[in-house]
Amino acid sequence: MGQVKVLDHPLIQHKLTHIRDHRTGTKVFRELVDEVATLMAFEISRDLPLEAITIQTPVAEAKAYQLSGKKLGVIPILRAGLGMVDGILNLIPHAKVGHIGLYRDPETLQPVEYYSKMPSDINERELIVVDPMLATGGSASAALTMLKEKGAVNIKLMCLIAAPEGVKQIQEDHPDVDIYLAALDERLNEKGYIVPGLGDAGDRLFGTK
Ligand code: PRP
Ligand code: URA
């Protein structure tokens, strides 16, 4: 079964508090999501493999290290996942970005796909699927299934806040995928919102409500 890691770095937790706060407006909300995405990417990239190389400094020859292994891909689930992309690219600027357009039908809570555009070599990349919210897990699970159908084999899921219901869904549907969170909240409410959560991530990011 995939692991669930709550990234409890103090800076992530402090910024998440402001993201959750209903008084935080769109501009600051967007800036904080961007910053937390960078911090989470820093933690997630801790295990990336390195290889030793030899370089010449202005002073002497030196044994040094560079990233080796597979290249990375960042896959935001539209639209709220977009808010986390730049923060990751700040750290990993050469990552390719693939987009999956999904929205959650407000009545059925089922994910509906409306867009997909992937790098051609996703089967060779380590992919980080990003979405601020993992609620029922329907959207993220559908995105992971779609990526696997296109050949992806190495995928991590990174969300700001999850409900236990969403984590369970991903673990059942995609036991090969590790989940990285800034917080694991209590539950879903009757409308499928995470409690206490942060409200509607897409609306708060883009000012659409
Ligand atoms: C939100 C969120 C996730 C999804 C989570 O997107 O960004 O994609 O809901 O819910 P789930 O786990 O129950 O599927 P939404 O459907 O509101 O679309 P948006 O990003 O375009 O606002
Ligand atoms: N989508 C959101 O944006 N927020 C939630 O709490 C649940 C799903």
Side-chain angles (χ1 to χ4, degrees), residues 16-192:
L16 183 64
T17 299
H18 290 283
I19 289 172
R20 287 182 187 274
D21 193 323
H22 73 105
R23 295 170 300 183
T24 302
T26 296
K27 175 178 180 288
V28 174
F29 186 92
R30 196 184 295 138
E31 288 167 358
L32 288 168
V33 169
D34 183 71
E35 288 170 19
V36 169
T38 303
L39 293 168
M40 291 183 77
F42 184 73
E43 294 270 316
I44 289 178
S45 55
R46 193 174 282 283
D47 297 333
L48 288 179
L50 289 173
E51 63 188 3
I53 58 168
T54 303
I55 59 161
Q56 188 73 38
T57 78
V59 178
E61 190 172 271
K63 189 174 164 204
Y65 297 92
Q66 67 180 12
L67 292 171
S68 67
K70 293 188 172 150
K71 296 179 191 150
L72 295 171
V74 182
I75 316 291
I77 301 178
L78 306 180
R79 83 197 138 130
L82 284 176
M84 301 173 77
V85 173
D86 285 351
I88 299 173
L89 294 181
N90 282 341
L91 280 188
I92 312 167
H94 293 294
K96 293 267 171 70
V97 181
H99 295 86
I100 300 181
L102 289 175
Y103 69 87
R104 197 171 70 145
D105 184 289
E107 300 299 326
T108 65
L109 301 185
Q110 292 304 306
V112 181
E113 185 181 326
Y114 60 89
Y115 186 76
S116 161
K117 186 78 181 170
M118 291 298 142
S120 56
D121 56 354
I122 55 168
N123 56 325
E124 294 167 14
R125 289 181 182 267
E126 286 194 31
L127 302 179
I128 307 174
V129 174
V130 296
D131 192 327
M133 309 307 278
L134 181 64
T136 65
S139 304
S141 182
L144 294 169
T145 299
M146 196 264 264
L147 286 171
K148 289 178 182 176
E149 283 168 2
K150 290 180 187 297
V153 286
N154 192 337
I155 316 176
K156 293 178 164 71
L157 175 62
M158 172 172 143
C159 304
L160 293 188
I161 302 179
E165 293 89 334
V167 168
K168 185 164 171 277
Q169 190 68 53
I170 298 301
Q171 288 184 322
E172 281 173 15
D173 296 349
H174 300 283
D176 55 315
V177 174
D178 289 339
I179 305 171
Y180 297 84
L181 306 171
L184 179 58
D185 276 10
E186 286 165 25
R187 62 185 170 87
L188 293 178
N189 69 14
E190 63 290 350
K191 290 186 177 154

